[in-house]
Amino acid sequence: IERQLQALISNGEGAVNKEAFRQAVVNTLERRLFYIPSFKIYRGVAGLYDYGPPGCSVKSNILAFWRQHFVLEENMLEVDCPCVTPEVVLKASGHVEKFTDLMVKDEKTGTCYRADHLLKDFCNEKLQKDLTISSDKAAEIKHLLATLDDLSAEELGAKIKEFGIVAPDTKNPLSDPYPFNLMFQTSIGPSGSSTGYMRPETAQGIFVNFRDLYYYNGSKLPFAAAQIGQAFRNEISPRQGLLRVREFTLAEIEHFVDPEDKSHPKYSEVADLEFLMFPRQEQVSGQSAKRVRLGDTVSKGIVNNETLAYFIGRVYLFLTRLGIDKERLRFRQHLANEMAHYAADCWDAEIESSYGWIECVGIADRSAYDLRAHSEKSGVQLVAQEKYSEPKEVEKLVIAPVKKELGVAFKGSQKNVVEALEAMEEKEALEMKVTLESKGEVEFEVCTLGKTVTIKKNMVNIQKEKKKEHQRVFTPSVIEPSFGIGRIIYCLFEHAFYTRPSKAGDEQLNVFRFPPLVAPIKCTVFPLVQNQKYEEVAKFISKSLTAAGISHRIDITGTSIGKRYARTDELGVPFAITVDSTTSVTLRERDSKDQVRVDVEKAASVVKEVTEGQTTWADVWSTFPHQSSTATDD
Amino acid sequence: IERQLQALISNGEGAVNKEAFRQAVVNTLERRLFYIPSFKIYRGVAGLYDYGPPGCSVKSNILAFWRQHFVLEENMLEVDCPCVTPEVVLKASGHVEKFTDLMVKDEKTGTCYRADHLLKDFCNEKLQKDLTISSDKAAEIKHLLATLDDLSAEELGAKIKEFGIVAPDTKNPLSDPYPFNLMFQTSIGPSGSSTGYMRPETAQGIFVNFRDLYYYNGSKLPFAAAQIGQAFRNEISPRQGLLRVREFTLAEIEHFVDPEDKSHPKYSEVADLEFLMFPRQEQVSGQSAKRVRLGDTVSKGIVNNETLAYFIGRVYLFLTRLGIDKERLRFRQHLANEMAHYAADCWDAEIESSYGWIECVGIADRSAYDLRAHSEKSGVQLVAQEKYSEPKEVEKLVIAPVKKELGVAFKGSQKNVVEALEAMEEKEALEMKVTLESKGEVEFEVCTLGKTVTIKKNMVNIQKEKKKEHQRVFTPSVIEPSFGIGRIIYCLFEHAFYTRPSKAGDEQLNVFRFPPLVAPIKCTVFPLVQNQKYEEVAKFISKSLTAAGISHRIDITGTSIGKRYARTDELGVPFAITVDSTTSVTLRERDSKDQVRVDVEKAASVVKEVTEGQTTWADVWSTFPHQSSTATDD
């Protein structure tokens, strides 16, 4: 079977081959415990996966590199907030109201489905299998597929009715679509009265701490805060295996910046990078992603600002350093209908996998939305100040309610009216001024009274006045690169996977070409044959590797070296040391299968240097004597 | 105020001074953002804290060292499982039934309290403030305090009634105590029918994966699996600030071992360690913890086995390497009444803090309990095999139901009866055999039928038979070191904190004496005065530090160097580089305040070496020219 799969994988691009390729990767990943379906002995839970030993190791290597590449390099402020979150925070952020998917229920069994998934499946099947549909109808269905995410509950329901879509398992009729909140809900404390949720993202923990973090940073902008942690999403019916799960690790950065100055001091370091970008305009006009110079997209106004571009560049460097194939990585700009109304610009790092192009990192300029929302809800001002070098004269609108007149007119309700007048936006106040001057009075809604009152000219003075200001107070914009770590890892597994024939040519062997940075185990140590002398050498090398902090395994099973290499290649271990003498050993590189001879005493330090990037395999290859592969190769 | 606090802290041992010391530490920790009360702008949630930038850094340094010290050194299999856990798993583990605290409610307001807390508070106050109580009564109350954890709901309720304890806030009467489950409950998926909980510990994720992990390890024992992750505990009313929280990070090891051989190959590496141990016997006889040689406790049979002792030793090394004071660290054996019935032995690493001795690591030999529980519930055998070098003859009990007779007697229920007979434990079967032989029949309960049936002698053969066996199949024992990372961090903060007078003597300055391994920032870089040349040197050094992976900060504020040192000492930064020339710089060590001169080019590498432990400050001090402190000291 495996050979048949390989044949399918090695040529062609069709859906079947993608499926077969994915099966080969996923089989290897599960067989070697990169992943384990969670609670497997209890038949598991859809959308929950464990990282087994090599997967866990890859994950912690990636997170360590993320810390180095982002937090350390940019002096970010890392925080670590709880997953349990009180309702008030997620009401302010909008998640309680809007973090929903549309769901339909089998009217007889109560089984739940995502409404858009059912419609999507129907459309795809129609296009693929129904040869009788007209080209008009086909175009209509294609258009529907493209705009699926924009449909309201009513529109989705209407389409489901129109196409006669029924429950896939039972053929029973379906309910109308209704929103299902995707947060896991719980209760904090014993009383049952305090609702909480498992956070759907880590960002809110940063926003609510803005004031303290800004102060910690010496009250200076720009600065970035970062957080790595678990997030939760109670999917209606998880699909796409390891890509759409109910609990996942996010790594998020919130970069706070003056909305009037979104330049970045290190922008020039990334401006010359060239890679695949897919601006809105190209998507709309049906073109494909093109390789462009990042700096040009900024100068042409395609990317909104330098800081956003800086992070796009840094994300590109991060992903490719991990081993993501740069030909299967693109930065796609959100279309107007995908973006939240407050967002200034948004780009996704998408990685191509057997499931298609997968959003793995979102890089969004969210403007001042989040800080404003929490300022309003909490009553705590989340703002920054810019001190002027000399005071500036500014024109300011001053609303001065005349309390005496208001007291006479509204008695006990005076306070509410005063507050409502003072809270008017500039535009509203200016309109009131105009009306009062022309008509002498105006109808005015006081929300806190729940009614409209009549304001007369003598009750309020509205005036533009000149004032000296010593500082500007403003809500910073936030630029948010948000990394779905699990998705990056899965795509990396697909990009790193390949097969090659065994020496005898009788089977295909699996290899993960992880760079040493990512590899779960950096090195294996094999005594060539089971013998005490060799095992002692192996233990000596192992101790040196441990002391150097290099993760490794000794394999003293009696299997052939070829088999042991195959086993280690399948885990993506980049280097193997075969102990075949007591003075020097064979050091083999995984992908080239090249081998050199290194003194026993030097073996650990050579592996350390090439693993940590102080040297390259090419250097090692040119420094040490080559070893023919006859004795120890597969 | 701060000076008054300091005076209180520096002498004496009383409760007031401990409170004052704690206040000084906690003030510093919160002011410098080691911790932030979570969701502070919304007035927070009791028992939830964020790690701010320096706290987060300390935490990730400790976790990285934990991985090096345990996972890497011992070749453990690290896994990473979800927090969301289906009910069936936690039913098997016993958490659904037993993970509870006893709660009482204010009968009028419904406010909840922990019953034992109220009783404890009452007893403590009685002892401290009521000068009229007899010595008999005092002894009774002390005994009650000592045995508080053993009281049943009824006993607690009776005491509360007896003492007339009422709700502390309202003086209203209280309900009877009843168990409150401490797990955060939620619902998995949209149907509402699948109950889940946020895991109360990470261990269960390992147990359910035992079979795969054992296979991954080449079907060999012993091996250990490890997991770092969030755990949750919905406390009734959190107390003790940072020590008792509702969400926390655990690092757990499950070391699986043959119950017949609990030796450890590396035991000799720890046997000679000497530190404070507090065996059961000493606790019962009112003695205190004594400094003993670990190996002696094993040879005297005080610690149950070598593997348990090995981990006690490794935990000791881990904690003291972090900077825990070895005089305030003890290993306390559980008393018989503290231990679960299945546990073979259990020791807690307790660290002394201002709250008293705090359990920070539990090291328990849990025997085969957990694996057996999941085997039974899931129907999947979680066992290990030992192949005999040659087959062994063993006597085995064989239960052979006679299906024909059973079929006649029980018809459709035959299958249930057969299964129940085959599932009998050896003891039960032997008793049945005896009864059948003496009386000819026996009453037998068939759970799956929900009734008792009569088994006659001709319906089942029970026999001891000799068999050749090729392997032994057994459930491994598990030895579990479980680390409360947050508690370790908090205790470390207390142990690392001290104050010293400023140079002018007019104020007390706070210092955290973190070892470089733990320090949130390893080094600060200060240009002595604001000048472009110095700032360029500072930037050069900063770049070299970043490339070397050393976390650091540049401080270019114009404040005095003394103030800047004080600021950095309060964050526990071990080294400071002051740029006071363009060729060489001053390198200062935090605790000694000693300073040496180092070439600009060498500065980063010297800091790297002394930070990563390749060299010591003593070596640096003897290698480089000393710098008098006049120019740059505080």
Side-chain angles (χ1 to χ4, degrees), chain B residues 180-251:
Chain B
F180 170 73
N181 195 298
L182 298 173
M183 291 192 291
F184 283 100
Q185 190 176 331
T186 191
S187 183
I188 304 173
S191 70
S193 63
S194 176
T195 298
Y197 298 94
M198 302 313 296
R199 64 179 174 194
E201 58 176 31
T202 68
Q204 303 306 323
I206 295 176
F207 296 137
V208 299
N209 282 324
F210 171 79
R211 200 175 50 162
D212 281 347
L213 294 171
Y214 177 62
Y215 180 75
Y216 186 84
N217 198 53
S219 301
K220 285 204 187 79
L221 285 186
F223 76 91
Q227 180 166 200
I228 297 171
Q230 294 303 89
F232 303 81
R233 200 183 153 104
N234 193 11
E235 294 287 347
I236 294 170
S237 48
R239 289 183 170 195
Q240 295 193 310
L242 298 153
L243 287 175
R244 188 160 286 282
V245 292
R246 283 176 163 153
E247 180 175 340
F248 44 94
T249 301
L250 285 183

Side-chain angles (χ1 to χ4, degrees), chain A residues 67 71-72 76-80 216, chain B residues 33-34 51-65 489 493 514 516-522 551-553 571:
Chain A
R67 281 210 170 91
V71 179
L72 195 67
M76 292 175 180
L77 307 180
E78 189 178 347
V79 300
D80 180 7
Y216 186 84
Chain B
L33 295 201
F34 282 88
Y51 291 90
C56 189
S57 200
V58 166
K59 183 180 169 187
S60 73
N61 293 338
I62 288 179
L63 292 178
F65 178 58
I489 292 174
F493 287 154
F514 300 128
L517 176 74
V518 164
I521 297 166
K522 311 303 182 193
S551 75
H552 65 283
R553 283 285 182 283
L571 283 176

Side-chain angles (χ1 to χ4, degrees), chain B residues 120 189-190 200 283 291 305 318 321 375 510 519 539 550 592:
Chain B
K120 191 177 174 184
Q283 296 168 54
R291 192 178 153 88
N305 58 69
F318 174 73
R321 278 285 300 277
S375 288
N510 302 323
K539 276 186 189 155
I550 302 295
S592 63

